[in-house]
Amino acid sequence: MRPFTYERATDAQAAVKAMAEHPNAKFLAGGTNLLDLMKLEIEHPAHLIDVGRLPLAAIEDTAEGGLRIGAMTTNSHVAADARIRSRYRVLTQAIVAGGSGQLRNKATTGGNLLQRTRCAYFYDTAKPCNKRHPGSGCGALEGLNRNSAIFGASDACIATHPSDMAVALVALDASVETLTPWGEGRRFPVAELHRLPGETPQIETRLAPGELITAVVLPRPPQGGQVYRKVRDRASYAAGLASVAVAGGNLALGAVAHRPWRADKAEAALKSGASPGEAIAAELAGAAQNGRNGFKINLVARLVPAALEEARANGRDA
């Protein structure tokens, strides 16, 4: 790990001010992803701004009937909250599917959204990767790409986004609140936070440099059942091969694209009366395989109808 300087921010405004004053700085919250990347010589921040103790760790009811989750709230706290478990069960299930208890105790809501891909070529500094070194190429294109994207990929990057929590939030139509480097707050859908790779896969979100996530806002709970299903090679400590979040009539897919993938075509087909199998087939018509990942298309075709049936059963039992 390379030398770096460190400071602990006292409030959100001080944090973004410190970021503006230090070139090549990074926010540090739980550190479950950033510290690993620093040790592996993938991230090289010259300065760390610790935001983990900012007063942004509350879960509060909103006037609209939803919840506001502070960005520094740990994943364990969110998953265990009685309001989340009863009204947004898909979110609890997604968080529990996303990592061990030890990781959930440290990982924060804001940090979970901003974790970086688990692509093996991103982590191997001896291999080309456009996310690490723009213009160097994508080693996964002709390499071991079993877990690569089937939606929204490009010739520059076929990596997938690793967050389970983000998939559930997209299905729930959640929004993210931020504090910009110029001291203003803004709010936009979580579905618009992450970018597809295009020709600039190193630019992963729509956040401005130095912009700080302060909260995630859940709207009123959706009508109908909710469920999160994830498939992986083994049940413990393995990245997902594919996942699906069902929240009423909303569907989002995980581990299949550079961002959580909102299955708009499948949702429209379901609303028009299509069966679950027909609906996901409409979505998968736009999928593309890259060498060894073609099995994901068949996997998603089976996974989504099963999840929809489970969600409907949950809705009837509620």
Side-chain angles (χ1 to χ4, degrees):
M1 186 181 290
R2 303 185 186 187
F4 59 89
T5 53
Y6 169 91
E7 69 175 285
R8 180 176 293 164
T10 55
D11 57 56
Q13 291 284 354
V16 296
K17 182 174 183 292
M19 181 68 77
E21 293 172 349
H22 292 85
N24 194 23
K26 289 280 186 181
F27 291 127
L28 173 70
T32 59
N33 189 211
L34 176 59
L35 294 181
D36 284 344
L37 295 175
M38 291 172 65
K39 293 174 184 177
L40 293 169
E41 294 282 320
I42 297 169
E43 293 273 14
H44 313 109
H47 186 69
L48 291 182
I49 302 164
D50 190 340
V51 295
R53 299 191 186 185
L54 295 184
L56 300 172
I59 303 177
E60 305 169 314
D61 292 288
T62 66
E64 296 76 24
L67 292 174
R68 175 175 283 101
I69 303 170
M72 302 308 147
T73 312
T74 66
N75 285 179
S76 289
H77 187 185
V78 175
D81 188 273
R83 293 162 294 179
I84 301 288
R85 294 176 65 184
S86 63
R87 294 155 57 187
Y88 306 96
R89 64 184 295 174
V90 64
L91 181 54
T92 289
Q93 291 174 346
I95 291 172
V96 171
S100 67
Q102 293 93 330
L103 286 173
R104 295 196 299 272
N105 287 342
K106 289 294 293 180
T108 62
T109 297
N112 187 303
L113 289 173
L114 298 180
Q115 61 184 299
R116 305 194 72 185
T117 183
R118 297 301 187 267
C119 176
Y121 293 89
F122 174 70
Y123 274 81
D124 188 345
T125 56
K127 300 294 193 298
C129 174
N130 287 316
K131 294 175 82 61
R132 277 188 289 102
H133 297 293
S136 64
C138 175
L141 280 174
E142 302 296 333
L144 301 175
N145 53 26
R146 180 172 177 268
N147 202 23
S148 60
I150 59 174
F151 292 109
S154 72
D155 289 339
C157 182
I158 57 174
T160 59
H161 191 268
S163 174
D164 292 279
M165 185 190 77
V167 181
L169 291 175
V170 167
L172 288 166
D173 287 328
S175 298
V176 62
E177 293 182 342
T178 71
L179 184 64
T180 67
W182 44 95
E184 298 177 356
R186 65 171 179 149
R187 178 174 169 177
F188 53 88
V190 174
E192 297 177 7
L193 173 63
H194 303 98
R195 295 163 48 108
L196 292 178
E199 296 304 313
T200 55
Q202 75 277 11
I203 304 174
E204 298 175 351
T205 73
R206 62 173 290 184
L207 297 179
E211 189 168 3
L212 177 68
I213 294 177
T214 56
V216 167
V217 181
L218 296 170
R220 186 183 298 274
Q223 296 293 318
Q226 301 178 34
V227 73
Y228 189 78
R229 278 203 175 195
K230 180 179 181 178
V231 178
R232 43 190 167 179
D233 285 323
R234 60 183 186 277
S236 175
Y237 218 80
L241 299 172
S243 65
V244 58
V246 183
N250 296 347
L251 290 174
L253 304 175
V256 295
H258 200 255
R259 67 185 185 199
W261 188 263
R262 185 66 179 263
D264 297 315
K265 295 182 178 63
E267 289 177 5
L270 286 171
K271 289 178 182 177
S272 68
S275 69
E278 292 168 338
I280 193 57
E283 192 71 38
L284 289 169
Q289 59 179 305
N290 297 290
R292 306 185 183 189
N293 72 339
F295 75 96
K296 280 192 175 188
I297 296 174
N298 292 329
L299 178 59
V300 171
R302 298 193 303 272
L303 178 63
V304 170
L308 285 168
E309 181 55 38
E310 183 177 352
R312 287 173 178 173
N314 291 341
R316 290 192 295 266
D317 294 340

